[in-house]
Amino acid sequence: MKIENPNPFQWHFSERASQMQSSFIREILKVTQQPEIISFAGGLPSPATFPVAEMKQAFDKVLSDSAKVALQYGPTDGYLPLRQWIADSLSVNGGRKIVAEQVLMVSGSQQALDLLGKVLIDEGSKVLVETPSYLGALQAFSVYRPEFVSVDTDENGLVPSSLDKVAAGARLLYSLPNFQNPTGRTMSIARRQELVETCARLNLPLVEDDPYGALSYKGDPLPKMVAMNPDGIIYMGSFSKVLTPGIRLGYVVAPLALIRRLELAKQAADLHTSQLTQMVVHEVIKDGFLDRHIPSIRSLYGTQCQCMLDALTEFFPAGVSWTRPEGGMFIWVTLPKHINAMELLEEAIKQKVAFVPGAPFYANEPETNTLRLSFVTVPPERIRTGIATLGKLIAERA
Ligand code: PMP
């Protein structure tokens, strides 16, 4: 039997689904994937850093030695040897020990944001975020319809003393201490200590989202806040920027009571993260591979960052300012107040250059004269050409 249905089906979407919006960056990426466009828009790591040979070898080994486990369903909390490796790597000398039971493997740390929203946010719950903040977190939390409160930030990141006036009743504070997406800025050690103390005093759960922490150009990353107070901090890590994002592997570390809830939420979402992927990643990293691999990523990104900073100095007109990141993948540009970055983008795309306007990164009042540049996937010569083009467009409007 064939059902004749000349009319389009009338869906009744949930209120939640009706309010969902596509991430602005994902929309821009569709346009900017054309090869002739010089795109500073993506947040993608450089494919030149992907450890293809090591991954191939590890897949082969895992499938040769342990196929029956690797290809089977696995536990929701994740592959224990990998969770143990993560717990050990976060347990610093002198700090409190983190145990494997506190680690939940997730399908990209983006999933941790969704799970946190599911278990901590009710409609109208207060959620504190940096100004500006990671767009993907705003998008993930938005589904649960919180009231976002933007917390003051300065060139050193979040200002802890501004929390007293907004913390009452808040469900969490979402922070990005290292080479923040989108601004590239980093919190000083003193700031981290002050923030941890302030959150403990205010009984405010602190989320430390840290996908870029290992990518410090100069070497040793700053101390993680989770090591300062594992009882009050929810740490999120990811293999996307130190191995490859295509494997979709991240983790969340939290006090046990919260981990159990997150695990239930994950069970409902996808049962568990690919066991095969977790075993392969463990195989790749278990003997110190990251200590050898990460310096090459730092060096590549550091060189390209410097190339962009030099080009900005050469080509951008007076009245424009930008951050000088010491790691990570992004530079944040502030234009003269009257220049709207969204309008600038339309012109830039006509000239075959793309970036991400800053407005979508703000939970509340957007600063429309800001924009984010990524330098990691564009070779130096094209960085110079692209920044020269942008500089000209800005100068015409300055
Ligand atoms: N947090 C931040 C700050 C990010 O920039 C990203 C990726 N762009 C994520 C989380 C998600 O990363 P993944 O899901 O690939 O681990």
Side-chain angles (χ1 to χ4, degrees), residues 43 107-111 113 134 137 174 176 180-181 209-212 236-241 245 248-250 330 372:
S107 303
S109 58
Q110 187 68 28
Q111 185 182 39
L113 292 167
Y134 169 49
Y174 174 67
L176 300 131
Q180 196 230 31
N181 183 359
D209 186 8
D210 190 26
Y212 306 101
M236 293 168 45
S238 172
F239 290 103
S240 291
K241 311 299 186 315
R248 308 305 306 122
L249 192 59
F330 305 110
R372 189 192 77 176

Side-chain angles (χ1 to χ4, degrees), residues 28-270:
I28 295 182
L29 281 179
K30 287 183 200 159
V31 181
T32 59
Q33 266 162 359
Q34 300 151 18
E36 70 274 18
I37 296 219
I38 299 177
S39 178
F40 304 128
L44 313 181
S46 167
T49 67
F50 297 163
V52 180
E54 288 78 3
M55 295 291 290
K56 246 182 178 166
Q57 221 174 24
F59 266 106
D60 195 44
K61 176 142 182 32
V62 169
L63 287 174
S64 302
D65 295 355
S66 326
K68 286 188 178 154
V69 180
L71 299 177
Q72 186 54 282
Y73 283 115
T76 301
D77 48 13
Y79 180 55
L80 187 56
L82 183 58
R83 293 164 64 216
Q84 187 64 57
W85 185 96
I86 291 163
D88 292 345
S89 73
L90 288 171
S91 297
V92 292
N93 289 341
R96 287 261 302 281
K97 200 169 158 48
I98 288 163
V99 295
E101 288 69 28
Q102 285 174 268
V103 181
L104 173 69
M105 300 309 300
V106 286
S107 303
S109 58
Q110 187 68 28
Q111 185 182 39
L113 292 167
D114 178 57
L115 299 179
L116 283 170
K118 222 174 236 168
V119 307
L120 290 176
I121 303 175
D122 289 311
E123 186 169 349
S125 300
K126 210 159 43 155
V127 167
L128 312 185
V129 294
E130 298 181 359
T131 316
S133 185
Y134 169 49
L135 176 55
L138 299 179
Q139 192 188 16
F141 295 154
S142 286
V143 173
Y144 304 99
R145 304 208 234 155
E147 179 207 339
F148 285 116
V149 177
S150 295
V151 177
D152 296 347
T153 50
D154 61 19
E155 64 284 3
N156 291 314
L158 215 147
V159 180
S161 57
S162 65
L163 288 171
D164 281 272
K165 58 180 191 287
V166 290
R171 295 288 172 89
L172 62 93
L173 165 62
Y174 174 67
S175 77
L176 300 131
N178 290 314
F179 324 123
Q180 196 230 31
N181 183 359
T183 61
R185 69 192 170 197
T186 293
M187 285 178 70
S188 66
I189 298 181
R191 271 282 168 92
R192 287 168 203 239
Q193 283 163 344
E194 194 188 341
L195 182 60
V196 171
E197 280 163 19
T198 308
C199 288
R201 173 170 59 77
L202 296 171
N203 213 3
L204 175 63
L206 173 60
V207 178
E208 179 178 23
D209 186 8
D210 190 26
Y212 306 101
L215 304 183
S216 145
Y217 308 145
K218 288 196 189 126
D220 287 346
L222 292 168
K224 298 187 188 313
M225 293 187 288
V226 66
M228 300 175 192
N229 180 19
D231 292 335
I233 293 177
I234 302 155
Y235 180 86
M236 293 168 45
S238 172
F239 290 103
S240 291
K241 311 299 186 315
V242 292
L243 284 179
T244 97
I247 52 173
R248 308 305 306 122
L249 192 59
Y251 46 93
V252 55
V253 179
L256 285 177
L258 175 60
I259 278 290
R260 289 198 188 101
R261 295 288 166 153
L262 293 171
E263 192 183 332
L264 290 177
K266 180 167 170 67
Q267 228 169 60
D270 65 355

